[in-house]
Amino acid sequence: QVQLAESGGGLVQAGGSLRLSCAASGPSGRTFSSYTMGWFRQADGKEREFVGGIRWSGNRLYFTDYADSVKGRFTVSRDNAGNTMYLQMNSLKPEDTAVYYCAASGPGRPFARPSSYDYWGQGTRVTVSS
């Protein structure tokens, strides 16, 4: 069983930055390193959407992917020793306002599908003012 806890959300002005963290408890560091991890967000009245993800691609490398709406502005990274994933968000826009969730799954599943993920955090709210 894996528990995920997001932190780092808050209120920021357009153009600003935030760094979200997702702390995983339950798996060992070695196990956590094999998990595919994703960030999703859900704005009020809208469906949950993929933001970015990171997964093991072999040879000590990780592959990342992003939604088109955040490419070049958001960066996903992970610290396997600390069982933590991060989402660095720069150049924030009002349309980035949402509750942000982190999720974890076993290896080899498609990034962008919420159904790929077995574990979810409770979410952290990000509000970007214009």
Side-chain angles (χ1 to χ4, degrees), residues 5-123:
E6 304 93 340
S7 61
L11 174 64
V12 63
Q13 287 187 334
S17 298
L18 280 176
R19 188 194 197 200
L20 305 184
S21 299
C22 172
S25 59
S28 65
R30 181 176 182 179
T31 303
F32 176 78
S33 66
S34 69
Y35 276 80
T36 291
M37 302 293 296
W39 285 101
F40 289 77
R41 67 187 181 187
Q42 188 166 15
D44 292 342
K46 295 187 177 181
E47 293 188 353
R48 192 168 296 190
E49 65 175 1
F50 173 72
V51 174
I54 184 167
R55 67 167 183 241
W56 173 252
S57 66
N59 199 23
R60 299 185 180 182
L61 295 176
Y62 282 90
F63 173 78
T64 56
D65 197 15
Y66 301 91
D68 288 343
S69 59
V70 306
K71 279 182 181 177
R73 300 188 298 122
F74 290 11
T75 303
V76 179
S77 61
R78 66 195 295 164
D79 171 12
N80 290 328
N83 279 17
T84 303
M85 176 180 64
Y86 302 97
L87 180 66
Q88 178 66 44
M89 305 186 294
N90 298 328
S91 301
L92 282 161
K93 304 175 181 180
E95 51 263 43
D96 295 318
T97 295
V99 176
Y100 284 71
Y101 299 88
C102 67
S105 76
R109 301 183 193 177
F111 264 143
R113 299 177 188 172
S115 60
S116 293
Y117 294 85
D118 302 309
Y119 307 102
W120 291 84
Q122 294 300 308

